[in-house]
Amino acid sequence: MGSNFHHHPNGWVGKTPWWKDAVFYQVYPASFKDSNGDGWGDIPGLISKIDYLHQLGVDVVWLSPMFESPQKDMGYDISDYQAVYARYGSLEDVDQLVEVCHSRGMKLILDLVVNHTSDQHPWFKESRSSKTNPKRDWYLWKPPRYDSAGNRMPPTNWRGYFAGSTWTWDEQTQEYYLNLYGPFQPDLNWENAECRAAIYDNAMRFWLDRGIDGFRIDTVNKYSKRTDFPDAPITCPDALHQPAPEMWCNGPRIHEFIHEMQTQVLGPYNAVSVGELSNTPLPSQVFPYVSAAARELDMVFEFTMIRLGQGNMFHGKYIYDPFSLSSLKQHVATWQTFIEGTDGWHTVFCENHDNGRAVSRFGDDSTPELWEASAKTIALWQATLTGTLFLYQGQEIGMRNMPASWGIEEYKDVESLGFYNEVVESGDRKRVEATLHGLRILARDHSRLPFQWDDSPNSGFTEEGVDPWMRVHDQYRELNASEQLKNPDSVLGFYGKMLKLRKEYRDIFVHGTFKLLAPEDESLFMYVKESSVQVGLGSEGDRRKALVVMNFTNRAQKCPNVGNALGCRKGGEKLLVSTLRCEQVSPENDAELRPWEGRVYLNFDL
């Protein structure tokens, strides 16, 4: 891994891999910025906004899939790993993007989608052409089963992520192929060494040779399936197909496959890797992926916190399940502490392209005042957690979920519509209403609305008069980047401030240890961060500490005794930052936290 020396304002010089301190920013290209007026975001549009990201404090751009694709799952169905989907631009545009990032000291990572391809990929076309084709074994094919009445049935009873069976019948060769997602996304067979070698060459080295700096790796723990293909236990008695993630998540050869990818491709190129690790809720399961000694992945996204509110992943995912602040805190504490004292590393995030907006899920967007206050507190929360910070486009301006008044016709996502149509077909009206309610909070569509750049028609995402691929949020005139850039006290201004503080105090915020306070409190979210660096002499020495205290309610709350929490003498603490403007927090009124106010205190008596 590439390493740099970082000079700390307090004299600390620490040698760490560059990506630990970096701020990553995910760009969903269809929705970021349209440069040519076709209603679809593109790479030249992203290039035109690189300085906006640079000024915010972004170190690494993560560009979601922009490869050649039939776009049945927004580019997660790739038909050519070495071509760019025409509406996004060209290979030359990617080369230019690499150049504009690198010239500003920034880096670029791409999405690596290699659990499956599109059914339009030449590899799959060959594989399905005949049972004797050399690429037949590059995908997972199985003969049918038959019930007692002679009806043809899939090889197993597994349910896929987008509803229905994980198996699709192929008329030509009279066998089923496996697809964990849509029928248009056949799974690659990682058991086949030739197939793996082709993946490393086609999907990875090709782009690394063009100068990209690494990958966010899609569905990274699903490459190794149970090759005996047993039926899943019946956990949903009324359903034809059963949830079966244990058949394909963290499978028997998964660590072997990822170690091979690291030693053959990622390592030699010094490429950073962050894996999407779903259905892996235990730290003991996650650690082997991120231990430096294991040489697999630099870091992973673990999803138990961001999945709060979702129902069963396979049945009723969008039946909203309300959660308490104490459960949110417990998830954060688990994943903040699991790497302490180890050679592992972790990520910090609360938004991505697969979830509703953080301010609408974890904050309060019911009024303009509470929206702004809670968006800033979310910024303070994320920027003070240990690990590598990932932001998602629009998070930095507090973009919200689509309005509740919008109907199902505004939802475009294959998963949203799959779950909705399934309950409609069931005829259960109560369940239809409950699913619609859940979609309004949780759907992947919310994060895919066009970025709100300014108050011009179509929010500056595309030209006036153009029909964008997704409807622009009704509130873009009040909520947009241009308006916030003029105001240092805006949500955007506060994100910029917090990203600077995060780097200035990286020993505490990026690398420090985490201790949750008052775990059962349903109003205040509080924790102490302790520096990874010793200050002073002696075998013990001292370590600087920060107290993060946040009011996660719409009512004023009493501020705790800061000195006690930090373990410092009276007057030895200092307010480092508040989500309120500084003049609003003074010694006279700091005993009370305003609705959705967050603060960070440091102990300065060392």
Side-chain angles (χ1 to χ4, degrees), residues 109-126:
I109 67 169
L110 300 183
D111 237 288
L112 180 63
V113 186
V114 289
N115 175 70
H116 48 264
T117 66
S118 164
D119 60 358
Q120 298 307 301
H121 195 290
W123 294 349
F124 186 68
K125 288 182 172 179
E126 280 193 55

